Amino acid sequence: MDGQRSQEMVTDADYILANNVAGNMASPLFNIARSINASQRRAQNLSHHQWSFSSSSSAISFISKPKFQIPCYGGQSLPTPESAISNALRNQNNIANIMRPSFNSKTPLLLRNLLGTCDAIYFWRSLEYWRVAVGEETPVEVEIGKGYNNSNRVTVMFGDYLNYLAMNMETESEECLLRSKRHEGKEPDVQHQRTNRDVAYLAQNELFHHVRNDIPIPSFCEDGKYNIGDGKLYHTMLWMGPRDTVSPLHFDPLDNILMQVVGWKRVLLFSPDDQCHGLKDGGEEGLRRTSSWHYAGVDGNQYNTSAVDVENPDHARFPNYKLLGPMPYECVLGPGDGLYIPKRWWHHVRSLEMSVSANVWWR
C-alpha cells in the first residue's frame, strides 16, 4: 500500500463511530466498533514488548480440552469417523493413505494430530506474534453479527482486531474463573456455554503469506500423484475469532480440510444424500425427497446456506428439518486436528473459545 493510500484509508471502526453508520448508538455494529476503538486507545498507552508465551497476557494457553463445556446438540448425532496420525509415522504418503478411502467414499474423516508439532501450533497462540509477523496496519475483512447470513462484513486494521481479541480473552478468563467458583464439584450449566451475542469474526480471509510456512498443507491438495483428487489447490483461508463465532449450516462445492490450530471448535456434518435417511413415518411422506429439509436459500440466504438454526431449530417454520433431515456426525476439533469435509456435505461450525483455524479447498 503506498503512502497516499495509507493516509486516505480510515478503519471502518473509526468510520462507524464518526458517522454513526450503524444508525443508533445501541446497535450491535456501533457497540463492537466502539470496543475495537477503545481497545486501540488502551493498547496505545501500553509499552511494546516482544511476544512471549509465558509472560504476555496476549498469549493463549495450550490446554488439552476446551475451557467451556461443549454445548449439547439438541438432536441425535453420530460420532465422526476418525484416525490418529502418530508423529513417528508422519509423512505425506501415510497421511494420503489414511485419507484416500474417505475421499473415495466421500465420507468425513477426523484426522487427529494432523498438524503434529508444526510452527503454527506454538506461534499462532500469541497475539503479539501475529502483530510482528503480519503487521498492525494490514487491512482485514471481519464479519460483525451472528454468522455470515446475519452479519455485516467490514474492513478493519489487523492491529485493531487483535486488540478486540485480547479484550475477549480477558473476558473468557474472567468467565472461567467465575464459573469454576459457581460450579465447584458440579458440571457447568450447559445453558451458560452457548450465547447468541454479536461477535466480530475474521472469517474467510486468505491466509497471510507472512505465516504460510507455519502450517503444513497436505501434499495431496497440491499434487495429483497421490490420487486424492486432481491436486489443484484453490484457496487457503484463515479463520480467527473469539468464543461463539458461528458458521451457519452450509455446504461448499469443493473438498475441504479444516485445520484447527488454536482453541476448540464443534462441527456438525450432514450428508448431502437426498435419500430419506431421517424419515420418522411412512406413507406418502416416504415418497418425499430431502432436497428441502435444509431450506437453503430461504429468508434471503445463499443457495448453499440453510435457513435452519440447527442448534435451536424452529420446527413450526421448518418442519421438514425434523421430518426429513439426516442424522449428523458430530465432532470436536482441538489444536493440531484436521477434518476432511467432502464437497457438498452440509456443516455447521461453532468455536468453543478463542480460536484460530485454517482451511484448504482443493479439487
Side-chain angles (χ1 to χ4, degrees), residues 87-102:
N87 290 325
L89 298 176
R90 179 178 306 283
N91 62 64
Q92 293 301 321
N93 282 324
N94 283 338
I95 293 173
N97 290 337
I98 291 170
M99 258 291 300
R100 194 171 294 107
S102 295

Side-chain angles (χ1 to χ4, degrees), residues 137-300:
E137 298 304 313
T138 301
V140 295
E141 292 190 351
V142 174
E143 295 172 359
I144 298 178
K146 299 181 177 70
Y148 67 75
N149 59 347
N150 187 22
S151 66
N152 296 284
R153 194 168 179 92
V154 300
T155 300
V156 300
M157 295 299 102
F158 190 47
D160 295 343
Y161 188 69
L162 293 176
N163 294 335
Y164 165 78
L165 288 183
M167 291 176 60
N168 274 271
M169 288 165 59
E170 291 178 8
T171 301
E172 280 188 16
S173 298
E174 292 170 359
E175 289 182 5
C176 282
L177 180 61
L178 289 174
R179 192 166 288 125
S180 63
K181 291 180 178 179
R182 186 186 304 125
H183 298 283
E184 287 182 1
K186 299 187 297 183
E187 284 293 317
D189 185 346
V190 171
Q191 290 184 342
H192 291 160
Q193 311 309 308
R194 184 176 64 229
T195 69
N196 198 31
R197 63 194 176 112
D198 288 285
V199 293
Y201 191 14
L202 194 159
Q204 204 164 208
N205 284 239
E206 287 283 350
L207 181 64
F208 303 114
H209 68 86
H210 319 70
V211 298
R212 173 61 180 78
N213 291 333
D214 290 351
I215 187 168
I217 305 302
S219 293
F220 59 75
C221 297
E222 303 179 271
D223 192 336
K225 75 177 184 181
Y226 294 96
N227 295 317
I228 301 179
D230 297 329
K232 295 181 179 179
L233 180 65
Y234 281 79
H235 291 287
T236 303
M237 312 302 287
L238 177 68
W239 310 76
M240 176 184 289
R243 178 168 60 101
D244 288 329
T245 55
V246 171
S247 293
L249 188 65
H250 69 286
F251 73 83
D252 300 312
L254 298 174
D255 288 295
N256 181 5
I257 297 283
L258 174 61
M259 297 170 286
Q260 187 64 19
V261 182
V262 177
W264 299 75
K265 284 185 172 178
R266 194 274 302 280
V267 184
L268 297 168
L269 299 139
F270 297 76
S271 169
D273 189 349
D274 64 356
Q275 300 304 311
C276 297
H277 297 299
L279 276 176
K280 311 300 187 295
D281 302 301
E284 290 186 7
E285 292 296 335
L287 299 176
R288 300 179 62 182
R289 301 172 70 83
T290 63
S291 58
S292 61
W293 68 264
H294 40 68
Y295 295 88
V298 174
D299 292 344

Side-chain angles (χ1 to χ4, degrees), residues 64 69 76 105 114 127-128 137 140 143 178 194 211 217 248 280 322 329 332-333 346:
S64 59
Q69 185 173 339
Q76 292 182 310
S105 64
L114 173 66
L127 299 187
E128 294 309 310
E137 298 304 313
V140 295
E143 295 172 359
L178 289 174
R194 184 176 64 229
V211 298
I217 305 302
K280 311 300 187 295
K322 182 177 182 180
Y329 288 121
V332 174
L333 300 180
W346 295 87

Side-chain angles (χ1 to χ4, degrees), residues 48-63:
H48 293 284
H49 299 282
Q50 282 192 321
W51 57 269
S52 67
F53 300 130
S54 58
S55 60
S56 172
S57 62
S58 62
I60 305 159
S61 60
F62 187 82
I63 55 177

Side-chain angles (χ1 to χ4, degrees), residues 38-51:
S39 77
Q40 180 184 26
R41 290 198 304 271
R42 183 177 65 173
Q44 289 173 346
N45 295 327
L46 300 176
S47 60
H48 293 284
H49 299 282
Q50 282 192 321
W51 57 269

